[in-house]
């Protein structure tokens, strides 16, 4: 999966304001994560969005995992 992450998750300033998206489509990673957190499973998402593939959903999860693997978190002063 790690090898295909760069192919599945794309960044383009002209698509969704540069947010990470699935394969250059207008599906931001955050949208996929919202669907999953709302209780939809992969099969539900694929049934509703036919241009998505199972590997796209898994890549969104891997991408989110990578974002949370930080070494330090610093509080920003108000």
């Amino acid at each position: 999966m790690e090898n295909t992450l760069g192919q599945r998750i794309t960044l383009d300033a002209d698509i969704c304001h540069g947010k990470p998206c699935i394969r250059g489509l207008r599906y931001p990673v955050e949208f996929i994560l919202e669907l999953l957190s709302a209780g939809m499973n992969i099969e539900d998402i694929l049934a509703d969005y036919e241009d998505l593939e199972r590997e796209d959903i898994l890549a969104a999860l891997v991408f989110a995992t990578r974002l949370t693997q930080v070494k330090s978190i610093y509080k920003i002063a108000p």
Side-chain angles (χ1 to χ4, degrees):
M1 175 55 72
E2 189 68 31
N3 293 339
T4 63
L5 187 59
Q7 297 170 350
R8 297 267 174 194
I9 307 300
T10 57
L11 297 167
D12 184 333
D14 295 327
I15 299 175
C16 293
H17 308 284
K19 291 182 178 184
C21 290
I22 304 295
R23 291 185 288 121
L25 302 171
R26 296 189 181 278
Y27 296 112
V29 169
E30 69 181 275
F31 175 67
I32 303 301
L33 298 174
E34 287 172 357
L35 295 177
L36 291 167
S37 68
M40 291 182 77
N41 61 42
I42 293 175
E43 291 74 26
D44 295 335
I45 296 170
L46 296 177
D48 286 353
Y49 302 94
E50 295 178 1
D51 47 348
L52 292 176
E53 300 170 357
R54 179 178 180 76
E55 292 76 15
D56 296 329
I57 309 302
L58 297 176
L61 290 170
V62 170
F63 186 82
T65 299
R66 297 294 177 262
L67 288 177
T68 62
Q69 293 174 331
V70 297
K71 301 220 184 256
S72 301
I73 297 176
Y74 299 97
K75 183 176 181 173
I76 298 174

